Amino acid sequence: MRAGTDPGNATIRDRVRPASGEELASIPWLDALTPAERRRAEAAVVVGEAEPGDLVCRIGRPPTYWFGVVAGLLKMSNDNADGTSMTYSGLPPGGWFGEGTVLKREPYRYNVQALRHSVVGGLPADDFHWLLDHSIGFNRFVMNQLNERLAQFIAARETDRLNDPDVRVARNLAALFNPVLFPGVGELLRITQQELAYLIGLSRQRVNEALRALQAQGAIRVEYGGLRVIDLAALRASVMAGKGGA
């Protein structure tokens, strides 16, 4: 698993191994496969460890794997030569990403970087295409992924135009708690306020203010080492209310 590797740049550690039974149990799309398809997929999946700053995917590189987050936290972004950066999404546990790029076998148009020590799963691109050719269940999973991600990016585009910090925090949290894209999160997202600030592009202090407001509304609860969603509908409503007030 060497996607994104480049001498002098942060890379995934060269410690690739087969996935353990516990790690395989956390991969959501395996449940969509028939027993024979699952045996083939489980034999093909590998995992590797990424340290903070390591690149899992790098702009311009061809895809060799379809990646997913087994543990940890990644960031998908477009980093420009002038130092500016646009973050598309945080990627918490259970999230598999880049299926569109692997599907078209085109170079990555974004970077994916580890924000903390993470375990990243990878299905080789050839096996990804084999499943597309042979598995109805896998096709449905990938189609749902693409549909949900499109809706997420459209919502992000609309929200970012408002330039409302509170709405930006609410939108990013709602996206990270998306049960379709990130089923491994559940009700508790293991994330620090500094990591969240890094994903959103705001100061930690400003993120803290927004989180206190969302907690007062009963949408979330700030806990030690993470954030617990109390009412996902209320969290999403905070985004819609911001749009209506614009």
Side-chain angles (χ1 to χ4, degrees):
M1 185 187 299
R2 289 182 175 272
T5 60
D6 211 18
N9 288 284
T11 64
I12 301 178
R13 286 185 176 182
D14 191 17
R15 293 186 299 176
V16 178
R17 57 173 174 78
S20 68
E22 183 179 357
E23 289 164 341
L24 289 172
S26 72
I27 298 176
W29 52 268
L30 286 174
D31 292 335
L33 307 182
T34 66
E37 293 164 354
R38 180 164 185 149
R39 285 193 295 272
R40 177 183 175 120
E42 288 182 344
V45 169
V46 296
V47 295
E49 296 184 27
E51 297 299 334
D54 284 357
L55 289 171
V56 178
C57 306
R58 188 173 187 272
I59 292 173
R61 288 299 181 90
T64 53
Y65 288 87
W66 181 41
F67 289 114
V69 184
V70 176
L73 182 66
L74 309 181
K75 178 190 74 161
M76 178 185 290
S77 64
N78 189 339
D79 304 295
N80 300 314
D82 61 4
T84 60
S85 176
M86 175 181 291
T87 298
Y88 297 130
S89 176
L91 299 166
W96 284 72
F97 56 91
E99 55 276 347
T101 300
V102 181
L103 184 65
K104 292 180 287 186
R105 294 186 186 269
E106 67 177 18
Y108 287 109
R109 299 182 180 181
Y110 48 81
N111 291 327
V112 174
Q113 188 175 39
L115 293 184
R116 69 168 81 126
H117 175 80
S118 301
V119 179
V120 181
L123 176 70
D126 288 343
D127 292 280
F128 175 91
H129 280 271
W130 186 92
L131 286 172
L132 283 180
D133 290 339
H134 295 86
S135 174
I136 294 175
F138 188 74
N139 273 270
R140 287 174 176 164
F141 183 92
V142 171
M143 183 169 59
N144 286 337
Q145 285 274 112
L146 291 169
N147 184 59
E148 195 72 22
R149 206 180 306 283
L150 176 61
Q152 184 186 69
F153 283 152
I154 290 174
R157 178 80 174 181
E158 292 175 347
T159 304
D160 285 344
R161 289 176 176 174
L162 300 177
N163 200 30
D164 184 323
D166 288 347
V167 175
R168 287 172 62 186
V169 172
R171 189 267 293 173
N172 277 271
L173 278 181
L176 291 169
F177 279 108
N178 186 308
V180 176
L181 293 176
F182 309 122
V185 172
E187 296 181 351
L188 180 63
L189 174 65
R190 296 291 182 183
I191 192 170
T192 68
Q193 293 187 19
Q194 186 58 58
E195 288 171 336
L196 186 58
Y198 188 48
L199 286 175
I200 301 172
L202 296 172
S203 69
R204 188 192 64 78
Q205 292 77 9
R206 189 62 188 84
V207 167
N208 180 265
E209 292 177 20
L211 292 177
R212 288 204 304 267
L214 290 170
Q215 182 168 254
Q217 295 169 18
I220 65 167
R221 183 168 65 239
V222 180
E223 298 186 359
Y224 179 77
L227 302 169
R228 184 176 298 276
V229 64
I230 305 301
D231 189 338
L232 184 57
L235 185 60
R236 290 172 173 167
S238 297
V239 180
M240 299 308 296
K243 292 179 183 180

